[in-house]
Coordinates of all heavy atoms in Angstrom, one line a residue:
Q58 N 20.8 -5.0 -2.2 CA 21.3 -6.3 -3.0 C 19.9 -7.1 -3.2 O 20.0 -8.2 -3.8 CB 22.1 -7.0 -2.2 CG 23.3 -6.3 -1.6 CD 24.1 -5.6 -2.6 OE1 24.3 -6.0 -3.7 NE2 24.4 -4.3 -2.3
Q59 N 18.7 -6.7 -2.8 CA 17.5 -7.5 -2.8 C 16.8 -7.2 -4.1 O 16.5 -6.1 -4.5 CB 16.6 -7.1 -1.6 CG 17.3 -7.4 -0.2 CD 17.9 -8.7 -0.1 OE1 17.1 -9.8 -0.2 NE2 19.1 -8.9 0.1
D60 N 16.4 -8.3 -4.8 CA 15.6 -8.2 -6.0 C 14.2 -7.7 -5.7 O 13.6 -8.0 -4.8 CB 15.4 -9.5 -6.7 CG 16.7 -10.1 -7.2 OD1 17.7 -9.3 -7.4 OD2 16.8 -11.5 -7.4
G61 N 13.8 -6.6 -6.6 CA 12.5 -6.1 -6.5 C 12.4 -5.0 -5.5 O 11.2 -4.5 -5.3
I62 N 13.4 -4.6 -4.7 CA 13.3 -3.5 -3.8 C 13.7 -2.2 -4.5 O 14.8 -2.0 -4.9 CB 14.1 -3.7 -2.5 CG1 13.7 -5.0 -1.9 CG2 14.0 -2.5 -1.6 CD1 12.2 -5.0 -1.4
A63 N 12.7 -1.3 -4.7 CA 12.9 -0.2 -5.6 C 13.3 1.1 -4.9 O 14.0 1.9 -5.4 CB 11.6 0.2 -6.4
M64 N 12.8 1.2 -3.6 CA 13.2 2.5 -2.9 C 13.1 2.3 -1.3 O 12.3 1.4 -0.9 CB 12.2 3.6 -3.2 CG 12.5 5.0 -2.7 SD 12.0 5.4 -1.0 CE 10.4 6.0 -1.3
H65 N 13.9 2.9 -0.6 CA 14.0 2.9 0.8 C 14.5 4.2 1.4 O 15.3 4.8 0.8 CB 14.9 1.8 1.4 CG 15.3 2.0 2.9 ND1 16.4 2.4 3.4 CD2 14.5 1.7 3.9 CE1 16.3 2.4 4.7 NE2 15.1 2.0 5.1
C66 N 13.8 4.6 2.5 CA 14.2 6.0 3.2 C 13.9 5.8 4.6 O 13.1 4.9 5.0 CB 13.6 7.2 2.5 SG 11.8 7.2 2.7
V67 N 14.6 6.7 5.4 CA 14.4 6.7 6.8 C 13.8 8.0 7.1 O 14.2 9.1 6.7 CB 15.7 6.5 7.6 CG1 15.5 6.6 9.1 CG2 16.5 5.3 7.1
L68 N 12.7 7.9 7.9 CA 11.9 9.1 8.3 C 11.9 9.4 9.9 O 12.1 8.4 10.7 CB 10.5 8.9 7.9 CG 10.3 8.6 6.4 CD1 8.9 8.1 6.1 CD2 10.6 9.8 5.5
G69 N 11.6 10.6 10.3 CA 11.3 10.9 11.6 C 10.0 11.7 11.8 O 9.6 12.3 10.9
N70 N 9.5 11.7 13.1 CA 8.4 12.6 13.4 C 8.7 13.5 14.5 O 9.8 13.4 15.2 CB 7.1 11.8 13.6 CG 7.1 11.1 14.9 OD1 8.0 11.1 15.7 ND2 6.1 10.1 15.0
L71 N 7.8 14.4 14.8 CA 8.1 15.5 15.8 C 8.0 15.0 17.2 O 8.4 15.6 18.2 CB 7.1 16.6 15.6 CG 7.3 17.5 14.3 CD1 6.2 18.5 14.3 CD2 8.7 18.0 14.3
S72 N 7.7 13.6 17.3 CA 7.5 13.0 18.7 C 8.9 12.2 19.0 O 8.8 11.5 20.0 CB 6.4 12.1 18.7 OG 5.2 12.7 18.5
G73 N 9.8 12.2 18.1 CA 11.1 11.5 18.3 C 11.1 10.1 17.8 O 12.0 9.4 18.2
E74 N 10.1 9.7 17.0 CA 10.0 8.3 16.6 C 10.6 8.3 15.1 O 11.0 9.3 14.6 CB 8.6 7.8 16.4 CG 7.9 7.8 17.8 CD 6.3 7.4 17.7 OE1 5.6 8.2 17.2 OE2 6.1 6.2 17.7
F75 N 10.8 7.0 14.8 CA 11.5 6.8 13.4 C 10.6 5.8 12.6 O 9.8 5.2 13.1 CB 12.9 6.2 13.6 CG 13.9 7.1 14.3 CD1 13.9 7.3 15.6 CD2 14.6 8.1 13.5 CE1 14.7 8.2 16.3 CE2 15.4 9.0 14.2 CZ 15.6 9.0 15.7
A76 N 10.8 5.9 11.3 CA 10.0 5.0 10.4 C 10.8 4.7 9.1 O 11.8 5.5 8.8 CB 8.7 5.7 9.9
D77 N 10.6 3.5 8.5 CA 11.2 3.2 7.2 C 10.1 3.1 6.3 O 9.0 2.5 6.6 CB 11.9 1.8 7.3 CG 13.2 1.9 8.0 OD1 13.2 1.7 9.2 OD2 14.2 2.0 7.4
V78 N 10.3 3.5 5.0 CA 9.4 3.3 3.9 C 10.2 2.4 2.9 O 11.4 2.7 2.5 CB 8.8 4.5 3.2 CG1 8.2 4.3 1.9 CG2 7.9 5.3 4.0
I79 N 9.6 1.4 2.4 CA 10.3 0.5 1.5 C 9.2 0.1 0.3 O 8.1 -0.3 0.6 CB 10.7 -0.9 2.0 CG1 11.8 -0.6 3.1 CG2 11.2 -1.9 0.9 CD1 12.3 -1.9 3.8
F80 N 9.5 0.5 -0.9 CA 8.8 0.2 -2.0 C 9.3 -1.1 -2.7 O 10.5 -1.1 -2.9 CB 8.6 1.3 -3.0 CG 7.7 2.4 -2.7 CD1 8.1 3.5 -2.2 CD2 6.3 2.2 -2.8 CE1 7.2 4.7 -1.9 CE2 5.3 3.2 -2.6 CZ 5.8 4.3 -2.2
A81 N 8.4 -2.0 -3.0 CA 8.8 -3.3 -3.7 C 7.9 -3.4 -4.9 O 6.7 -3.1 -5.0 CB 8.5 -4.5 -2.8
T82 N 8.4 -4.2 -6.0 CA 7.7 -4.3 -7.2 C 6.5 -5.1 -7.0 O 5.5 -4.9 -7.6 CB 8.7 -4.9 -8.3 OG1 9.2 -6.1 -7.7 CG2 9.7 -4.0 -8.6
D83 N 6.6 -6.1 -6.1 CA 5.5 -7.0 -5.9 C 5.5 -7.7 -4.6 O 6.6 -7.5 -3.8 CB 5.3 -8.1 -7.0 CG 6.6 -8.9 -7.2 OD1 7.3 -9.2 -6.3 OD2 6.9 -9.2 -8.4
N84 N 4.5 -8.5 -4.2 CA 4.5 -9.0 -2.9 C 5.6 -10.1 -2.7 O 6.2 -10.2 -1.6 CB 3.2 -9.7 -2.6 CG 2.9 -10.3 -1.3 OD1 3.1 -9.5 -0.2 ND2 2.7 -11.6 -1.1
A85 N 6.0 -10.8 -3.7 CA 7.0 -11.8 -3.8 C 8.3 -11.3 -3.3 O 9.1 -11.7 -2.5 CB 7.1 -12.6 -5.0
A86 N 8.6 -10.0 -3.9 CA 9.8 -9.4 -3.7 C 9.9 -8.8 -2.3 O 11.0 -9.0 -1.5 CB 10.1 -8.2 -4.7
F87 N 8.7 -8.4 -1.8 CA 8.8 -7.8 -0.4 C 8.8 -9.0 0.6 O 9.6 -8.9 1.6 CB 7.4 -7.1 -0.1 CG 7.4 -6.4 1.1 CD1 8.1 -5.1 1.3 CD2 6.6 -6.9 2.3 CE1 7.9 -4.5 2.5 CE2 6.5 -6.2 3.5 CZ 7.2 -5.0 3.7
A88 N 8.1 -10.1 0.4 CA 8.3 -11.3 1.3 C 9.6 -11.9 1.4 O 10.1 -12.2 2.4 CB 7.3 -12.4 0.8
A89 N 10.4 -11.9 0.2 CA 11.7 -12.5 0.1 C 12.5 -11.6 0.9 O 13.4 -12.0 1.7 CB 12.1 -12.5 -1.3
M90 N 12.4 -10.3 0.7 CA 13.3 -9.4 1.5 C 13.1 -9.4 3.0 O 14.0 -9.5 3.8 CB 13.0 -7.9 0.9 CG 13.8 -6.7 1.8 SD 13.0 -6.4 3.4 CE 11.5 -5.7 2.9
S91 N 11.9 -9.6 3.3 CA 11.5 -9.6 4.9 C 12.1 -10.9 5.4 O 12.6 -10.9 6.5 CB 9.9 -9.8 5.0 OG 9.3 -8.5 4.5
E92 N 12.0 -12.0 4.7 CA 12.7 -13.3 5.2 C 14.3 -13.1 5.2 O 14.8 -13.6 6.2 CB 12.3 -14.5 4.3 CG 12.7 -15.8 4.8 CD 12.3 -16.9 3.8 OE1 11.4 -16.7 3.0 OE2 12.8 -18.0 4.1
A93 N 14.8 -12.6 4.2 CA 16.2 -12.4 4.2 C 16.8 -11.5 5.3 O 17.9 -11.8 5.8 CB 16.7 -12.1 2.8
H94 N 15.9 -10.5 5.5 CA 16.3 -9.5 6.6 C 16.6 -10.2 7.9 O 17.6 -9.8 8.6 CB 15.1 -8.6 6.7 CG 15.0 -7.8 8.0 ND1 16.0 -6.9 8.3 CD2 14.2 -7.8 9.1 CE1 15.8 -6.4 9.6 NE2 14.6 -6.9 9.9
L95 N 16.1 -11.3 8.3 CA 16.2 -11.9 9.5 C 17.6 -12.5 9.6 O 18.1 -12.8 10.7 CB 15.1 -12.9 9.9 CG 13.6 -12.4 9.8 CD1 12.7 -13.5 9.9 CD2 13.5 -11.4 10.9
R96 N 18.2 -12.8 8.5 CA 19.4 -13.5 8.5 C 20.7 -12.7 8.2 O 21.8 -13.3 8.4 CB 19.4 -14.6 7.5 CG 18.2 -15.7 7.7 CD 18.5 -16.9 6.7 NE 18.3 -16.4 5.3 CZ 17.4 -16.3 4.6 NH1 16.1 -16.7 5.0 NH2 17.5 -16.0 3.3
H97 N 20.5 -11.4 8.0 CA 21.7 -10.7 7.5 C 22.3 -9.9 8.8 O 21.7 -9.5 9.6 CB 21.2 -9.6 6.5 CG 22.4 -9.0 5.7 ND1 23.1 -7.9 6.2 CD2 22.9 -9.4 4.5 CE1 24.1 -7.7 5.2 NE2 23.9 -8.5 4.2
S98 N 23.6 -9.9 8.7 CA 24.4 -9.3 9.9 C 24.1 -7.9 10.2 O 24.1 -7.5 11.3 CB 25.8 -9.5 9.7 OG 26.3 -8.9 8.5
S99 N 23.8 -7.1 9.1 CA 23.6 -5.7 9.2 C 22.2 -5.5 9.9 O 22.0 -4.4 10.6 CB 23.7 -4.8 7.9 OG 22.7 -5.3 7.0
S100 N 21.3 -6.4 9.7 CA 19.9 -6.4 10.2 C 20.1 -6.6 11.7 O 19.5 -5.8 12.5 CB 19.1 -7.4 9.6 OG 19.0 -7.3 8.3
A101 N 20.9 -7.4 12.2 CA 21.0 -7.7 13.7 C 21.5 -6.5 14.3 O 21.1 -6.1 15.4 CB 21.9 -9.0 13.9
S102 N 22.6 -5.8 13.8 CA 23.2 -4.5 14.2 C 22.1 -3.4 14.4 O 22.0 -2.7 15.4 CB 24.3 -4.2 13.4 OG 25.3 -5.2 13.5
L103 N 21.2 -3.3 13.3 CA 20.2 -2.3 13.4 C 19.1 -2.6 14.3 O 18.7 -1.7 15.2 CB 19.6 -2.2 12.0 CG 18.7 -1.1 11.7 CD1 19.5 0.3 11.9 CD2 18.1 -1.2 10.4
M104 N 18.8 -3.9 14.3 CA 17.6 -4.2 15.3 C 17.9 -4.1 16.8 O 17.1 -3.9 17.5 CB 17.2 -5.7 15.0 CG 16.4 -5.8 13.6 SD 15.0 -4.9 13.3 CE 13.9 -5.6 14.5
A105 N 19.2 -4.3 17.1 CA 19.7 -4.2 18.4 C 19.5 -2.7 19.0 O 19.5 -2.5 20.2 CB 21.2 -4.6 18.5
M106 N 19.3 -1.8 18.0 CA 19.1 -0.3 18.4 C 17.7 0.0 18.7 O 17.4 1.0 19.4 CB 19.7 0.6 17.4 CG 21.1 0.4 17.2 SD 21.7 1.7 15.9 CE 23.5 1.5 16.1
L107 N 16.8 -0.8 18.4 CA 15.3 -0.5 18.3 C 14.7 -1.0 19.6 O 15.0 -2.1 20.2 CB 14.5 -1.2 17.1 CG 15.3 -0.8 15.7 CD1 14.3 -1.3 14.7 CD2 15.5 0.7 15.6
D108 N 13.7 -0.2 20.1 CA 12.8 -0.8 21.2 C 11.8 -1.7 20.5 O 10.9 -1.3 19.8 CB 12.1 0.4 21.8 CG 11.0 0.0 22.8 OD1 10.8 -1.2 23.0 OD2 10.4 0.9 23.4
K109 N 12.1 -3.0 20.6 CA 11.3 -3.9 19.9 C 9.8 -4.0 20.2 O 8.8 -4.2 19.4 CB 11.8 -5.4 20.2 CG 13.2 -5.6 19.5 CD 13.7 -6.9 19.8 CE 15.0 -7.3 19.1 NZ 16.1 -6.2 19.4
E110 N 9.4 -3.5 21.4 CA 8.0 -3.5 21.7 C 7.2 -2.3 20.9 O 6.0 -2.3 20.8 CB 7.7 -3.2 23.3 CG 8.2 -4.4 24.0 CD 7.8 -4.4 25.5 OE1 7.4 -3.3 25.9 OE2 8.1 -5.3 26.3

Side-chain angles (χ1 to χ4, degrees):
Q58 316 306 319
Q59 302 304 301
D60 292 341
I62 301 303
M64 192 274 271
H65 168 252
C66 63
V67 181
L68 309 166
N70 68 9
L71 294 177
S72 299
E74 295 177 282
F75 296 86
D77 289 85
V78 165
I79 297 176
F80 278 106
T82 54
D83 53 36
N84 187 56
F87 188 78
M90 178 277 298
S91 299
E92 183 178 351
H94 160 64
L95 300 174
R96 302 190 301 269
H97 200 272
S98 59
S99 65
S100 301
S102 301
L103 186 63
M104 294 299 292
M106 297 182 170
L107 309 187
D108 175 356
K109 291 182 173 56
E110 292 185 358

